[in-house]
Amino acid sequence: MKNMGLNEIREAFLNFFESKEHLRLKSFSLVPENDNSLLLINAGMAPMKAYFTGIKVPPKRRVTTCQKCIRTGDIENVGKTSRHATFFEMLGNFSFGDYFKNEVIPWAWEFITEVLEIPKDKLYVTIYLDDDEAYEIWTNKTDIDPSRIFRLGKEDNFWEIGQGPCGPSSEIHFDKGAGKVETVEEFVEAADEDKIVEFWNLVFTQYNKDENGNYNRLEHPNIDTGMGLERIATIMQEVDNIFEVDTMKSILDEVCRIACVKYVENDNNNTSIRIITDHIRSMTFMISDGILPSNEGRGYVLRRLLRRAARHGRLLGIKDVFLYKLCDKVIENFCGAYPELKEKEDYIKKVIKLEEERFAETIDSGIEILKSYIGEIKQKGKKILDGDKVFKLYDTYGFPYELTQEILQDEGMDIDEDGFNTEMQKQRERARSARKDTNYMGAEDSAVNKISSDIETKFDGYDKYELCGKVKVLIENDKFVNSIEKEGIILTDVTPFYAEMGGQVGDKGLIYNDNFKGEIFDCKKNVSGKVMHFVKVISGTVSLEDKVVLKVNEENRKNICKNHTATHMLQEVLREVLGEHVHQSGSYVDAHRLRFDFTHFSSLTEEEISKIEKSINKEIMKSYEVKTDEMTIEEAKKTGAMALFNNKYKEKVRVVSVGDFSKELCGGTHVNNSGEIGLFKIVSESGVAAGIRRIEAVTGMAVIEYMEAKDKVLKDMSNVLKCSTKDIVERLESQIVELKEKEKELTALKGKLAGSAKDDILKNVKEVKGIKVAVGVLKDVDANALRDLADEIKSKIEEGTVVLGSNNGGKVQFVAMATKNVISKGIHCGKIIKEVAKIAGGGGGGRPDMAQAGGKLPEKLQEAINKSFDIIDELVK
């Protein structure tokens, strides 16, 4: 058996299947495309579901990949066991209706025994109970000892998820120390004890399970195999667990170095070391695929992993932020297979460092909140913290459950675990309901996604606005029809209409013939890339096979082109002004505006915005020729063209160049010359997520319209202020000074009114059970003045309670204060104010010695204040 490194095994596998005429595809992004059923890619076949269902045509019928995967279902076990991980790589070879069992079984045996050179007496195979075909192939087309083949039931060797494609499987296992097993019972027992481990699963998708539970044979069966790269690496390197595999060990050693600890068997630090080692891989790959920390979806998964790793760093005694430093080891070990890690190295490290610094602040504020909860528990004489409070700390403030438990245990307290689990379950249900319902293969089961693969629409609209075509498909109310009279979807054999893609909206225009006229109000592609024209019928009826004229709205298209080319120029300028860390995170281009999301870690200053605008306008005026060249993706990279290189591109790509200024991969439509853009103006800059900024801008005539609107506002202001536009700022500043002076006078007058009210309130102090009670209703006194007045009255009465209310411009305010010496007698201002405010349609609360509240019913103010006496009477012991 060869001793092979993880990267060596990956390459050997992919090379082997390339020799079997498979197309090697790069790993798909961890972010699923057109698949609402998944948060993150969690299996090798997951990104290729559409190929298996026939919704999309695969680039080749034989494919091999090594797919990045994230699974967090067992996150609590990561670090505690030797085999659980959140990030892993899945090796796979796939057949989309090409070869089947006769080919894949001998190939699998050839790879493991001849390429990997695993001893045959260390291998076992399992097949589905009734799969005689697989048994015959294993025994006749390989030299495996038949006694090493075991038949297992549906639970172990049959793959299905509800209705749809399914089939038996055959798993290949490695003997880690069980010795020769003779019976199925012995095999299962050894597998349960991890003495025999499965490392490659060959799935034979040969049936379609219908709604009645019948298994119907597929005309074109598929092959889907999966071999965990880390798991096979443990076998090849003869180590006990995935954390001892060469690439993982390299990261683990760096964790130990930073923490100044040793990785020793049965050591208490092991769990923390393993958690950090695993999680840093997940973080690095997730961020490289465009995921950023947030409070929902996949961003929440990333944030959870990062904070969990940071928390375990603290347990190891690491006081400073450190996770971003570990990225170097991840990138060093994996950049050969995933070059995007190296390309985005600075950006990945910045995101991790920023989030870890925020978490360090969160930890401190979380501890303060937890201390206040502990104080409340002690006051009530309890020893259990409510589960909803623990969940709030965890979910809202990102405070780890384990840390809450640890701090409580130091105080001789514990967590209401059932209550916490209830809240966690509610959150899972919210997350589940937020995910759209789809079938298990992830695509909406609608007519647009059932269009025959034989239907193709040729797009010929880069330099054409009008073409004649033939109607090939008509859809109305999600059904295929022969004609449309009102509204529906039309597919033709050729079109000049650009379908929404790459951030650019679809074209608008007309479709017509002598008997029919319709408005195309949108143009999109379905999951398999079919061009769909969304049409409202203006007159007549359109039928299948009709010849039609398709005419794009030329002015609308040209405005889109201006905004799209300007977006390319904007990205180039942003990198010049802000730095090379700027990468496109998203974009939107229509006829009216452009929107560009990009990676950056602070808001742009006025100076930066001005510099960006001036630079773009300067380049626009140079009237660059905008040209498009077709080339391979590798040729495009060599030219320095910018692209979202984790995206999947066809063999030939379009490279759009704006002179020598900008060069990008792009399938969209553009101007012929940068001078056609005219002008460029940023209308807003904002943050949309941590580390993501958004610029919205306009071009051409829209800039003039924008400036005219601004000019009108200035003219209207000058008319109101009765000054010229150049004097507006000066006039406003002088009026602000005047207003501040008037406010001071008003405050002084209110103070005098409150002062005279103070004397009246003190004259009318009453006693309730030996406690002085001062109440009063005031007018036009704000919350601050009301609180100051209550404080003054409290100091005068020496032993008692003050309850005041005010109607300040229709807004009701309450305040209650008590001297320290009456609190022991039962006085609690929070309880008083809560009941008082309730009468006036409000609510509030506070401490025993001071509380505030608001109300909505000024007409109930006097009644509410008068109720104070009854409330105090009930409270006093």
Side-chain angles (χ1 to χ4, degrees):
M1 185 163 65
K2 289 182 180 177
N3 188 326
M4 299 172 73
L6 181 137
N7 290 319
E8 193 182 352
I9 298 168
R10 184 198 298 112
E11 192 59 26
F13 181 91
L14 297 172
N15 276 337
F16 176 81
F17 281 100
E18 278 185 305
S19 75
K20 305 297 182 187
E21 299 178 358
H22 287 61
L23 173 66
R24 181 200 291 217
L25 291 182
K26 275 183 62 179
S27 172
F28 290 79
S29 169
L30 285 166
V31 179
E33 184 182 357
N34 297 320
D35 187 350
N36 297 317
S37 67
L38 287 178
L39 199 60
L40 291 156
I41 293 298
N42 61 3
M45 66 79 70
M48 290 184 276
K49 291 175 181 178
Y51 299 153
F52 282 108
T53 57
I55 289 173
K56 285 180 89 171
V57 177
K60 193 173 180 181
R61 290 172 70 193
R62 296 182 181 190
V63 163
T64 185
T65 64
C66 181
Q67 178 61 43
K68 303 174 284 190
C69 300
I70 296 276
R71 286 184 194 168
T72 56
D74 290 323
I75 191 171
E76 302 305 330
N77 290 321
V78 173
K80 293 177 183 175
T81 73
S82 61
R83 58 189 178 86
H84 282 97
T86 56
F87 175 85
F88 61 96
E89 295 177 80
M90 187 62 74
L91 298 165
N93 59 288
F94 308 93
S95 165
F96 309 110
D98 186 18
Y99 62 81
F100 201 50
K101 295 178 195 177
N102 266 315
E103 292 80 12
V104 75
I105 289 173
W107 286 343
W109 189 250
E110 180 186 349
F111 178 72
I112 56 180
T113 60
E114 295 181 26
V115 178
L116 301 185
E117 297 180 9
I118 298 176
K120 294 168 188 175
D121 61 0
K122 285 281 189 181
L123 295 167
Y124 288 97
V125 165
T126 59
I127 60 173
Y128 178 52
L129 207 59
D130 301 331
D131 196 354
D132 295 332
E133 182 185 13
Y135 183 82
E136 290 299 317
I137 295 167
W138 272 113
T139 53
N140 292 328
K141 291 204 168 187
T142 78
D143 60 354
I144 189 172
D145 178 349
S147 69
R148 304 184 79 86
I149 302 172
F150 294 100
R151 294 177 183 258
L152 297 177
K154 252 192 176 183
E155 215 172 277
D156 297 290
N157 280 97
F158 197 95
W159 184 86
E160 64 179 339
I161 304 177
Q163 291 173 223
C166 59
S169 68
S170 181
E171 294 181 340
I172 305 171
H173 305 252
F174 179 79
D175 181 358
K176 285 182 71 178
K180 184 73 167 73
V181 296
E182 303 290 345
T183 65
V184 170
E185 291 74 22
E186 287 176 350
F187 176 85
V188 171
E189 185 180 345
D192 288 343
E193 294 173 358
D194 275 347
K195 290 178 181 176
I196 292 176
V197 293
E198 177 267 323
F199 65 90
W200 200 354
N201 188 15
L202 316 177
V203 178
F204 314 127
T205 314
Q206 62 192 59
Y207 300 114
N208 186 66
K209 186 180 179 183
D210 64 26
E211 57 190 12
N212 298 317
N214 299 314
Y215 293 93
N216 305 303
R217 193 93 184 190
L218 289 171
E219 186 180 348
H220 301 291
N222 303 311
I223 289 293
D224 160 25
T225 86
M227 174 159 54
L229 180 54
E230 291 82 359
R231 188 173 292 188
I232 188 63
T234 62
I235 293 169
M236 301 305 295
Q237 295 174 28
E238 298 186 76
V239 293
D240 290 332
N241 63 72
I242 60 171
F243 294 95
E244 292 176 22
V245 168
D246 59 337
T247 51
M248 290 278 270
K249 183 71 164 53
S250 173
I251 301 164
L252 184 143
D253 288 344
E254 186 65 5
V255 175
C256 292
R257 188 191 68 77
I258 292 172
C260 299
V261 296
K262 287 187 176 181
Y263 186 70
V264 183
E265 199 170 340
N266 300 321
D267 188 89
N268 291 332
N269 290 331
N270 274 5
T271 298
S272 294
I273 295 168
R274 291 204 281 231
I275 284 170
I276 296 165
T277 300
D278 169 75
H279 288 9
I280 191 62
R281 290 196 312 157
S282 297
M283 287 178 243
T284 303
F285 276 95
M286 288 173 81
I287 295 167
S288 80
D289 278 349
I291 300 167
L292 286 165
S294 69
N295 286 329
E296 58 187 18
R298 51 188 74 98
Y300 182 75
V301 174
L302 173 59
R303 174 163 282 168
R304 186 183 177 196
L305 292 173
L306 195 149
R307 291 183 168 186
R308 194 166 186 253
R311 151 79 175 139
H312 281 276
R314 287 195 168 210
L315 291 180
L316 292 175
I318 304 172
K319 292 186 170 58
D320 300 322
V321 293
F322 72 100
L323 291 171
Y324 74 99
K325 297 174 185 175
L326 288 171
C327 286
D328 291 332
K329 279 292 174 188
V330 179
I331 293 167
E332 178 189 313
N333 279 284
F334 292 95
C335 67
Y338 306 101
E340 63 269 20
L341 296 178
K342 193 68 182 172
E343 291 166 14
K344 298 180 180 179
E345 181 176 8
D346 291 343
Y347 171 64
I348 294 166
K349 290 167 80 169
K350 276 184 180 176
V351 172
I352 291 175
K353 188 168 187 265
L354 187 66
E355 181 69 14
E356 194 178 357
E357 285 170 345
R358 285 179 177 158
F359 182 55
E361 294 168 11
T362 299
I363 284 280
D364 296 333
S365 59
I367 286 172
E368 289 305 310
I369 295 165
L370 182 54
K371 281 180 180 175
S372 70
Y373 288 162
I374 289 169
E376 289 175 18
I377 295 173
K378 285 181 176 177
Q379 197 172 9
K380 294 174 182 175
K382 295 182 178 179
K383 288 197 171 185
I384 301 290
L385 179 58
D386 292 343
D388 61 336
K389 285 189 168 69
V390 179
F391 181 77
K392 188 176 181 181
L393 274 169
Y394 169 80
D395 190 52
T396 307
Y397 301 102
F399 202 70
Y401 176 91
E402 302 97 328
L403 187 55
T404 302
Q405 194 170 42
E406 185 182 313
I407 293 169
L408 285 170
Q409 285 171 351
D410 289 344
E411 297 283 343
M413 300 174 176
D414 211 337
I415 286 172
D416 166 21
E417 197 172 330
D418 290 340
F420 175 80
N421 290 335
T422 300
E423 295 298 323
M424 280 293 286
Q425 186 58 36
K426 286 179 187 174
Q427 187 203 55
R428 289 190 192 103
E429 286 166 7
R430 286 194 296 270
R432 206 174 291 124
S433 63
R435 220 174 289 166
K436 294 179 184 176
D437 289 332
T438 70
N439 65 22
Y440 86 97
M441 287 305 260
E444 292 179 11
D445 194 22
S446 58
V448 295
N449 287 327
K450 293 178 181 174
I451 297 168
S452 169
S453 58
D454 296 333
I455 302 295
E456 288 295 336
T457 303
K458 182 186 176 186
F459 170 67
D460 190 18
Y462 283 118
D463 54 3
K464 296 183 180 74
Y465 293 96
E466 186 176 317
L467 287 171
C468 291
K470 187 179 281 189
V471 176
K472 307 305 290 183
V473 175
L474 293 170
I475 298 173
E476 189 174 45
N477 296 324
D478 201 32
K479 291 178 181 174
F480 293 104
V481 294
N482 293 320
S483 62
I484 293 176
E485 296 181 1
K486 292 182 179 179
E487 186 172 327
I489 296 168
I490 300 177
L491 275 75
T492 54
D493 60 348
V494 65
T495 184
F497 280 74
Y498 182 85
E500 181 180 320
M501 188 171 57
Q504 178 177 328
V505 297
D507 282 329
K508 297 178 180 179
L510 296 173
I511 179 169
Y512 60 91
N513 58 26
D514 292 342
N515 305 310
F516 158 75
K517 185 177 183 181
E519 176 200 352
I520 297 177
F521 60 89
D522 203 354
C523 187
K524 296 177 184 287
K525 288 185 177 182
N526 73 349
V527 172
S528 61
K530 314 293 183 191
V531 178
M532 304 181 294
H533 305 92
F534 291 78
V535 179
K536 283 181 183 173
V537 177
I538 297 170
S539 62
T541 303
V542 63
S543 301
L544 288 174
E545 299 301 319
D546 280 358
K547 288 183 179 178
V548 290
V549 177
L550 298 107
K551 188 174 183 179
V552 173
N553 182 320
E554 191 171 337
E555 183 183 357
N556 187 72
R557 161 79 79 83
K558 284 183 174 177
N559 285 333
I560 292 171
C561 289
K562 289 173 185 177
N563 286 331
H564 200 156
T565 306
T567 305
H568 284 216
M569 298 179 77
L570 172 61
Q571 179 166 206
E572 189 63 42
V573 170
L574 285 170
R575 289 168 71 84
E576 284 180 9
V577 175
L578 304 177
E580 293 296 310
H581 65 277
V582 169
H583 289 281
Q584 179 179 335
S585 180
S587 69
Y588 174 85
V589 175
D590 64 18
H592 310 288
R593 65 189 171 113
L594 66 92
R595 185 180 75 212
F596 188 73
D597 295 347
F598 58 99
T599 53
H600 190 56
F601 301 93
S602 59
S603 57
L604 272 58
T605 64
E606 289 297 325
E607 290 77 14
E608 286 171 332
I609 291 172
S610 176
K611 191 174 180 181
I612 291 162
E613 282 182 340
K614 284 178 182 175
S615 182
I616 291 175
N617 282 309
K618 183 180 174 183
E619 299 301 330
I620 286 170
M621 290 175 191
K622 288 180 181 176
S623 297
Y624 292 117
E625 180 191 0
V626 179
K627 62 175 186 172
T628 303
D629 297 298
E630 281 204 356
M631 59 187 78
T632 67
I633 186 71
E634 292 306 318
E635 287 170 340
K637 285 185 180 183
K638 286 174 186 174
T639 67
M642 276 195 289
L644 300 172
F645 282 116
N646 56 337
N647 280 12
K648 294 288 166 190
Y649 293 101
K650 295 178 181 176
E651 284 185 28
K652 288 283 186 179
V653 295
R654 297 176 81 246
V655 176
V656 176
S657 303
V658 183
D660 294 327
F661 178 70
S662 163
K663 191 173 287 186
E664 281 190 48
L665 268 67
C666 182
T669 61
H670 291 270
V671 296
N672 294 316
N673 187 292
S674 67
E676 295 174 32
I677 297 169
L679 291 166
F680 174 90
K681 178 70 183 171
I682 293 173
V683 297
S684 73
E685 189 277 336
S686 60
V688 290
I692 298 289
R693 306 300 300 176
R694 171 173 291 172
I695 280 177
E696 297 198 46
V698 290
T699 63
M701 287 300 295
V703 176
I704 294 171
E705 290 166 7
Y706 176 80
M707 298 310 292
E708 283 177 345
K710 288 271 188 183
D711 192 47
K712 185 178 184 305
V713 171
L714 285 173
K715 285 175 180 174
D716 290 346
M717 287 175 70
S718 68
N719 289 335
V720 171
L721 295 167
K722 295 181 171 58
C723 67
S724 65
T725 52
K726 67 181 177 64
D727 294 328
I728 286 174
V729 174
E730 188 180 330
R731 178 62 62 88
L732 282 172
E733 285 175 345
S734 67
Q735 291 206 353
I736 287 167
V737 170
E738 286 178 31
L739 280 170
K740 284 182 177 176
E741 289 299 321
K742 298 290 184 189
E743 281 177 8
K744 283 181 185 176
E745 291 175 21
L746 193 59
T747 302
L749 283 169
K750 285 182 177 180
K752 287 180 183 176
L753 285 169
S756 61
K758 178 180 71 175
D759 295 335
D760 291 338
I761 291 166
L762 285 168
K763 284 177 189 173
N764 294 292
V765 171
K766 294 181 180 178
E767 280 198 12
V768 175
K769 292 183 179 178
I771 292 172
K772 293 176 182 176
V773 181
V775 301
V777 175
L778 298 95
K779 192 175 180 183
D780 296 328
V781 177
D782 63 22
N784 291 333
L786 197 68
R787 191 169 56 246
D788 292 342
L789 179 61
D791 204 32
E792 287 183 43
I793 294 170
K794 184 184 76 169
S795 66
K796 294 287 184 184
I797 61 176
E798 294 179 352
E799 186 175 347
T801 306
V802 184
V803 185
L804 303 179
S806 171
N807 177 0
N808 187 23
K811 189 177 180 183
V812 178
Q813 302 283 349
F814 293 105
V815 66
M817 287 189 184
T819 56
K820 297 286 184 189
N821 46 23
V822 298
I823 292 169
S824 60
K825 297 180 181 179
I827 292 295
H828 193 294
C829 291
K831 294 177 181 177
I832 296 169
I833 212 76
K834 183 180 178 183
E835 296 302 319
V836 167
K838 196 186 290 182
I839 295 166
R847 306 189 308 266
D849 62 333
M850 192 278 203
Q852 295 181 110
K856 298 174 184 175
L857 306 171
E859 66 274 15
K860 296 274 190 179
L861 187 53
Q862 189 66 60
E863 180 188 337
I865 289 295
N866 291 343
K867 187 68 175 175
S868 303
F869 298 105
D870 295 335
I871 297 165
I872 290 168
D873 185 60
E874 290 176 13
L875 287 173
V876 176
K877 297 169 183 173

